[in-house]
Amino acid sequence: MSAYPVGILFSRSGSYSRPAGQGYFGAMAAIADVNADPRYPFKLEAHHADPEGNADRYATLCRNLIRNTGAQHVVGCTTSWSRKEVIPVVEKLDALLWYTCVYEGFEVSDNLVYIAACANQHLVPLLDYIVPRFGARAFLTGSNYIWGWETNRIARDVLCRSGGSVLGERYVPIGDEDIAHLIEEIRAKRPDFILNNLIGPSSYTFLAALRALGEEDEAFRPENCPVISCNLCESETALLGEVAAGHYTVSSYFRSLAGSENSLFAERVKAEKPGFLADAFFVQAYTAVTMIAEAIRHIGTDSAQAVLEYVRTETTSTPLGPVQVDRATNHVNLHAHIGRARRDGDFDVVHLSESTIAPDPFLTATVLERPYAGMAGTQRLRVVR
């Protein structure tokens, strides 16, 4: 039986090991499922490298995965910084990087497949939900690298073009937990909501400190001044519990989404991978491997360009729903569901995207002047009560 190598490039240690670990286990779970499924007349061989959260290690490890194992496909990278380090490698070696985390957009490569959402599929729908309900005076936070910079820039652009305002925009190094100055500035400026683009421990510490502030002053409780995020998932909120409860996330996937098929998938993951949940980090990596395997099954080769042509032409059934890669951008159409975190770490899906949103990574087709006047009647999403 043929065996095809697949590179897995996630930092299972380091400052953002929780979401990266979810990506790793999502990819490994999909590989195990493919190898156990008689429909596939081949096996997938997983070859993992751990950059330990060090951006300088990604390029070398990716190069080694491709050259030493023959892998045509690498699933991984969590931060935009790490993705940027890997792009020249896969382009030079003509392999494919399957990038499985939400990102800021403004990028296209023939050697990348973007499985997760770009800004018009996450941030813009999230603002469309939050602003009419809470107000348009925002405070922006972020880890000090491209994800935080660009996501906050787009949020500022949308808000200011639409009659809103940004009261503050502050950054901390990745993993930094010294955030008292952010809390004091938020206390003084009293925004309507906070956009949180921090990652890992920085985000967790920030949310805990804000929860404490809300206990002192009810103006900062989630029902009055929510924290909104495009990258906070169940694997993290399950650890945070009360700290994250009441705050909002936008995602293409929640484990609490209705439907027997999704419930069975989420329960199977929980049973087979103790300590890991089927969240977006997990499911997007699982989806990438599923798409690779389906392409190989139908075309009989793992050639990067042949697989890319297949997934651009054919639709694959995945836990995200049926997906097909857009030929012009190498992104996929995705839903933009909005969830409010519960104390148990799951999300109540408060707005359900009725249809998928086409990717617009350069925001050339997305109108940034949002119709927020009067703060009412502008939503494209269906309320779920």
Side-chain angles (χ1 to χ4, degrees):
M1 180 179 288
S2 299
Y4 297 101
V6 177
I8 310 295
L9 189 63
F10 286 108
S11 289
R12 296 187 62 195
S13 55
S15 59
Y16 46 87
S17 59
R18 188 68 187 179
Q22 285 286 115
Y24 167 81
F25 278 105
M28 296 299 291
I31 288 173
D33 285 350
V34 167
N35 290 345
D37 191 332
R39 292 180 304 158
Y40 298 98
F42 56 84
K43 299 292 185 184
L44 296 179
E45 290 180 348
H47 298 270
H48 175 245
D50 181 359
E52 301 177 335
N54 185 342
D56 293 337
R57 300 191 65 207
Y58 277 86
T60 298
L61 291 175
C62 182
R63 186 180 300 109
N64 291 344
L65 282 172
I66 297 168
R67 286 180 168 169
N68 296 344
T69 72
Q72 292 286 294
H73 305 274
V74 177
V75 178
C77 296
T78 301
T79 66
S80 288
W81 189 355
S82 62
R83 185 190 70 254
K84 294 287 189 183
E85 293 293 319
V86 165
I87 289 173
V89 176
V90 292
E91 289 182 342
K92 180 177 181 179
L93 299 179
D94 200 25
L96 277 182
L97 172 66
W98 297 73
Y99 184 65
T100 62
C101 291
V102 296
Y103 88 115
E104 64 284 345
F106 299 95
E107 180 183 288
V108 166
S109 170
D110 284 339
N111 294 87
L112 266 73
V113 178
Y114 303 81
I115 297 299
C118 54
N120 80 297
Q121 298 168 311
H122 56 69
L123 177 62
V124 174
L126 182 59
L127 291 174
D128 282 353
Y129 174 81
I130 290 294
V131 170
R133 288 162 175 80
F134 294 94
R137 300 165 60 255
F139 191 95
L140 313 180
T141 67
S143 292
N144 191 31
Y145 76 112
I146 188 171
W147 159 255
W149 305 334
E150 286 297 289
T151 305
N152 283 339
R153 180 185 65 79
I154 297 165
R156 178 183 288 273
D157 210 7
V158 170
L159 291 167
C160 292
R161 287 174 184 240
S162 306
S165 59
V166 173
L167 305 185
E169 182 175 344
R170 298 292 178 262
Y171 298 90
V172 300
I174 294 176
D176 191 351
E177 298 181 69
D178 182 10
I179 49 80
H181 59 296
L182 300 183
I183 300 299
E184 289 309 308
E185 187 171 1
I186 289 168
R187 184 201 301 267
K189 292 186 173 177
R190 308 184 81 80
D192 297 325
F193 69 91
I194 300 157
L195 175 61
N196 174 23
N197 291 305
L198 299 165
I199 65 169
S202 302
S203 178
Y204 313 151
T205 301
F206 175 76
L207 289 170
L210 195 66
R211 173 64 62 172
L213 178 59
E215 292 173 356
E216 298 175 16
D217 185 339
E218 66 179 13
F220 297 101
R221 292 175 183 171
E223 61 268 25
N224 299 319
C225 178
V227 176
I228 68 172
S229 174
C230 302
N231 64 332
L232 190 69
C233 293
E234 291 94 330
S235 58
E236 298 169 302
T237 55
L239 294 177
L240 295 171
E242 182 72 31
V243 165
H247 297 305
Y248 293 85
T249 291
V250 60
S251 182
S252 59
Y253 177 87
F254 289 109
R255 68 190 299 269
S256 57
L257 285 168
S260 58
E261 188 172 344
N262 181 59
S263 296
L264 288 171
F265 177 80
E267 288 304 313
R268 181 167 66 85
V269 170
K270 184 177 180 180
E272 293 179 1
K273 298 291 182 184
F276 288 84
L277 301 174
D279 66 3
F281 294 123
F282 185 103
V283 166
Q284 286 154 186
Y286 188 101
T287 292
V289 172
T290 301
M291 294 173 71
I292 294 167
E294 277 296 290
I296 295 172
R297 181 164 77 94
H298 284 89
I299 63 179
T301 176
D302 68 340
S303 161
Q305 292 308 309
V307 167
L308 179 59
E309 181 59 28
Y310 177 86
V311 297
R312 284 171 166 175
T313 305
E314 303 295 335
T315 298
T316 304
S317 178
T318 78
L320 290 177
V323 294
Q324 182 176 334
V325 175
D326 175 63
R327 185 174 296 275
T329 66
N330 276 8
H331 293 61
V332 299
N333 289 19
L334 291 167
H335 289 278
H337 307 304
I338 297 174
R340 184 173 56 230
R342 305 197 308 242
R343 289 177 176 82
D344 65 1
D346 267 334
F347 285 85
D348 291 321
V349 181
V350 296
H351 267 64
L352 186 66
S353 176
E354 292 184 332
S355 59
T356 58
I357 300 172
D360 182 21
F362 294 97
L363 297 177
T364 56
T366 302
V367 178
L368 297 183
E369 293 84 357
R370 314 302 291 173
Y372 294 143
M375 302 302 173
T378 63
Q379 304 310 306
R380 297 188 300 268
L381 304 176
R382 176 166 59 88
V383 179
V384 177
R385 297 298 185 192

